[in-house]
Amino acid sequence: MIERIIGIAKKYFVLGLLGVLISLVFWRWVLPTGILSSGDWGFYLKQSQLELVGRPLLWVADGIGRVNLTASSYLPTLLLGLCAHFFDFAASERIVFMLPILAAGVIGSYLLFYDVLASRIGAFSASIVYMLNSYTLILSTGEPTLLAGFNFSLVAFRYIRKVIDEGGKRNGVIAALWCIVVCAYEFRVFYILFWISAIYFVYQSYLRYRNEKTNLLNMPISGLLLSFCLIGLMNAYWLVGLSMLGQISNNSLFSRGLFGSEFLNLPQSLALFHPFWTGKQPAAFIIQQIPIWFWAIPALAILGFYLNRREPKIIFFAIISLLGVLLTKQEAPPFPSLYPFLYAHLPGFNSFREASKFYFLIALGYAVLIGSLTRWLHERKYEIKWKKYLSYVAITATCFLFLYNGKPLITGAIGTLFAVRHVPQDYITLQSFILKQPEYFRTLWVPSTSRWGIYTINHPMLSISSLEGNDWQTYIKSEQYTFPTAVDAQNVEVLNQKLSSSLLDNAAIKYVIVPTRDSSNDGDFFQYYGDNRQFFIDNLDRQSYLKKVNIGTSELVVY
């Protein structure tokens, strides 16, 4: 019995060590420290969160009303709603997102890389590379759904490899179930996973034909076919509806133009360096200089490939890395027309209006290549003892290159989703005021909604900044404004017209709200709208059809 326990401890010691290290870096996600909300990652008040429970909807009340193009995310949305019956939002977001992200990232990456490298040290270092590179950490600051999709895709790809390599309906069912989880968190990640799997299938088919002269028709594809059928059936609840509405390939998300080419280039892709990474709080839309030590990353990856270049598995992940580099640079040379061509002609590719999501391919490929290097260092026979110790130093230094990226997460200097937030009292007062009124109406927020605002099916929120760019664009003479100097004036133009009162009445808007600056929660978005909150209040005060209402708030203004 004792020997068995010792055997299990030895087998999983490295995985346990990896889990401890990642938990220390992400300790604010692991411990119940409070609400985490930043950027695109919002917040639900209790009543709003409870309303997430229900059947999947193709039409939602957001704004004036819209087709639900993210209907594929029904599963985590439902789970978040169910959690509201037992937990507050801080616990719910950890149960549905943060903890699964860490579990899938640690266990999924380690097991996949162990399957590829057959080395615990190699798998450990590969997981460190994957979990603590600058792109993964940038995702952790504000895009948990995307990070969850990527991490679960590692689990899914492990079983997809088994299906392609070994066949079997059992592997096919397991692969399909994990793919369904990936789809639920972020369907675009499944799109990337599909092409990785397709490339792997073609690659393995070529190896089989070259080595065994096996006919493609004789390959074990029954498991793959079963996986495709299950994935299609489990996503039919939204695919069929959107297809009937003509929204699969022709919708607002797919019709947008390319964005962000000026932020992406070849050096950043090669160095696996996100352009907004600062080593502390990310600098959105401000390109950062690549630190010199980041150039060790591609050097280590290339060395790992060179030392293991005869292994077909290593060659495959080198191909994935190269593909990631070519795509992530977007329109930068070389091949500046590649990304626009794929965006215009490859079905589904136009859901990626900017290329940063393909950093995942580089992170995945580099992880295996660098992991193969540490494996080589660890398993090589050393005749002189000090050389063996030197190899340990090299392996430690390689891991430390990425572990150091975790420093701002540990200290909290990165802010974002690693800083605890608190709901301002004004918004609790507003929630009580709104929920006491049973009739249906909307609230209009000027210039934008606050993450702390109350949103229910019976009381949807609108923002003037969103409306003036979409549903109410007809009423805006935007050519007379020069961004960003007059962006504040543009956002209130629609409220300064003779038809403004009728427009608000027809949209069932009962209250117009100016949110607080919310500087204590790092949520002051007025800097993007002229940085003059009083301008909006003064403008609304002048409207004869509006009347200021005192609901007991200290800073929040309600009309």
Side-chain angles (χ1 to χ4, degrees):
M1 182 68 178
I2 296 177
E3 291 180 354
R4 185 182 178 186
I5 294 173
I6 293 174
I8 293 173
K10 287 182 177 180
K11 184 177 181 180
Y12 294 105
F13 171 76
V14 176
L15 176 59
L17 177 61
L18 176 66
V20 170
L21 287 174
I22 297 301
S23 296
L24 288 174
V25 173
F26 289 84
W27 67 270
R28 285 178 174 80
W29 284 19
V30 176
L31 300 179
T33 52
I35 297 168
L36 303 176
S37 180
S38 177
D40 292 336
W41 185 248
F43 165 81
Y44 288 99
L45 290 165
K46 187 78 170 181
Q47 186 60 37
S48 303
Q49 190 178 342
L50 286 169
E51 290 193 351
L52 297 177
V53 178
R55 65 183 187 279
L57 300 173
L58 283 178
W59 184 263
V60 289
D62 294 359
I64 300 296
R66 62 174 180 84
V67 174
N68 185 12
L69 297 176
T70 58
S72 59
S73 299
Y74 171 67
L75 177 60
T77 302
L78 175 64
L79 291 176
L80 197 62
L82 291 173
C83 282
H85 290 277
F86 309 99
F87 310 102
D88 60 10
F89 180 78
S92 299
E93 63 179 342
R94 286 170 171 81
I95 292 169
V96 180
F97 291 95
M98 277 65 175
L99 294 179
I101 285 172
L102 297 180
V106 170
I107 300 172
S109 67
Y110 180 83
L111 294 179
L112 172 63
F113 298 144
Y114 183 80
D115 285 353
V116 174
L117 299 170
S119 164
R120 292 189 178 93
I121 294 297
F124 174 85
S125 55
S127 295
I128 292 293
V129 172
Y130 172 77
M131 289 293 291
L132 297 177
N133 66 81
S134 67
Y135 176 63
T136 299
L137 296 182
I138 283 288
L139 288 183
S140 72
T141 64
E143 298 188 78
T145 53
L146 198 57
L147 185 55
F150 281 134
N151 287 0
F152 277 108
S153 72
L154 299 182
V155 184
F157 186 57
R158 179 171 181 252
Y159 284 98
I160 290 171
R161 290 181 69 249
K162 289 178 179 290
V163 175
I164 294 173
D165 293 343
E166 306 166 9
K169 294 180 179 178
R170 179 177 178 275
N171 286 333
V173 171
I174 296 174
L177 292 176
W178 285 115
C179 285
I180 291 164
V181 174
V182 174
C183 292
Y185 277 104
E186 177 55 82
F187 192 78
R188 289 175 298 177
V189 174
F190 175 72
Y191 181 87
I192 295 175
L193 176 62
F194 169 82
W195 285 110
I196 295 175
S197 304
I199 294 170
Y200 186 77
F201 178 79
V202 172
Y203 181 72
Q204 287 297 100
S205 300
Y206 165 74
L207 292 178
R208 278 201 182 98
Y209 178 78
R210 187 190 67 178
N211 298 331
E212 306 170 14
K213 302 299 181 184
T214 302
N215 191 310
L216 183 62
L217 296 176
N218 295 328
M219 289 181 63
I221 60 173
S222 59
L224 274 179
L225 294 176
L226 179 61
S227 292
F228 280 126
C229 291
L230 289 175
I231 294 168
L233 286 172
M234 293 299 291
N235 285 283
Y237 73 92
W238 63 273
L239 283 172
V240 172
L242 289 182
S243 296
M244 294 177 68
L245 293 173
Q247 294 287 321
I248 291 292
S249 59
N250 182 23
N251 57 62
S252 58
L253 294 180
F254 285 9
S255 60
R256 300 175 298 177
L258 282 175
F259 168 79
S261 294
E262 65 272 26
F263 301 116
L264 301 165
N265 56 48
L266 183 61
Q268 293 164 351
S269 301
L270 287 171
L272 186 49
F273 178 78
H274 193 282
F276 307 151
W277 176 257
T278 64
K280 47 186 180 180
Q281 192 158 355
F285 306 114
I286 301 175
I287 300 175
Q288 302 299 302
Q289 182 114 18
I290 301 175
I292 192 168
W293 60 86
F294 268 78
W295 288 109
I297 297 173
L300 292 170
I302 292 170
L303 182 58
F305 170 70
Y306 176 78
L307 294 172
N308 301 276
R309 62 191 181 279
R310 299 187 186 281
E311 293 186 40
K313 294 177 182 178
I314 301 302
I315 295 173
F316 169 76
F317 284 97
I319 293 171
I320 294 299
S321 300
L322 180 60
L323 179 61
V325 169
L326 289 173
L327 292 177
T328 305
K329 68 178 182 56
Q330 202 156 311
E331 294 183 278
F335 314 114
S337 300
L338 175 62
Y339 199 91
F341 176 83
L342 294 173
Y343 191 81
H345 296 96
L346 184 63
F349 199 86
N350 54 353
S351 61
F352 301 92
R353 66 183 303 220
E354 52 85 24
S356 67
K357 294 167 186 65
F358 295 102
Y359 269 114
F360 169 71
L361 300 180
I362 308 174
L364 176 61
Y366 277 12
V368 172
L369 297 178
I370 295 174
S372 71
L373 172 62
T374 58
R375 179 192 64 179
W376 184 88
L377 290 170
H378 181 254
E379 296 180 352
R380 191 184 179 199
K381 303 295 183 182
Y382 296 96
E383 296 180 0
I384 304 175
K385 203 168 187 180
W386 66 267
K387 288 186 176 181
K388 184 176 182 180
Y389 292 140
L390 189 62
S391 72
Y392 292 152
V393 172
I395 292 171
T396 303
T398 299
C399 292
F400 183 77
L401 183 65
F402 294 90
L403 285 167
Y404 183 74
N405 288 338
K407 179 185 175 183
L409 281 70
I410 297 173
T411 63
I414 200 168
T416 60
L417 288 183
F418 297 88
V420 175
R421 312 299 182 184
H422 303 280
V423 184
Q425 181 59 43
D426 274 8
Y427 291 96
I428 297 175
T429 302
L430 176 67
Q431 175 188 216
S432 177
F433 174 73
I434 295 293
L435 292 182
K436 285 179 182 177
Q437 305 175 61
E439 72 274 16
Y440 178 88
F441 60 82
R442 293 184 172 99
T443 57
L444 177 64
W445 295 66
V446 180
S448 185
T449 57
S450 166
R451 69 176 71 253
W452 313 114
I454 178 64
Y455 171 94
T456 67
I457 295 175
N458 206 37
H459 305 308
M461 291 193 300
L462 304 173
S463 77
I464 196 68
S465 58
S466 177
L467 288 172
E468 62 88 13
N470 295 284
D471 300 275
W472 288 357
Q473 193 172 19
T474 306
Y475 309 104
I476 302 293
K477 299 176 182 178
S478 56
E479 65 274 6
Q480 66 181 301
Y481 300 112
T482 303
F483 182 83
T485 55
V487 68
D488 47 0
Q490 179 176 331
N491 273 284
V492 296
E493 181 192 349
V494 74
L495 301 176
N496 296 334
Q497 302 180 29
K498 292 181 179 179
L499 52 72
S500 297
S501 180
S502 298
L503 194 61
L504 268 61
D505 287 342
N506 291 335
I509 294 170
K510 186 174 182 179
Y511 297 104
V512 179
I513 302 170
V514 179
T516 66
R517 277 196 176 270
D518 199 26
S519 299
S520 62
N521 286 307
D522 197 24
D524 182 9
F525 49 71
F526 284 94
Q527 58 186 308
Y528 306 115
Y529 300 97
D531 203 24
N532 185 355
R533 179 174 179 267
Q534 190 60 41
F535 169 85
F536 297 103
I537 296 173
D538 292 342
N539 188 280
L540 295 175
D541 283 343
R542 289 194 295 267
Q543 308 307 322
S544 60
Y545 60 88
L546 293 177
K547 179 183 178 181
K548 190 174 288 186
V549 182
N550 183 5
I551 66 170
T553 55
S554 59
E555 188 179 355
L556 191 79
V557 181
V558 181
Y559 297 87

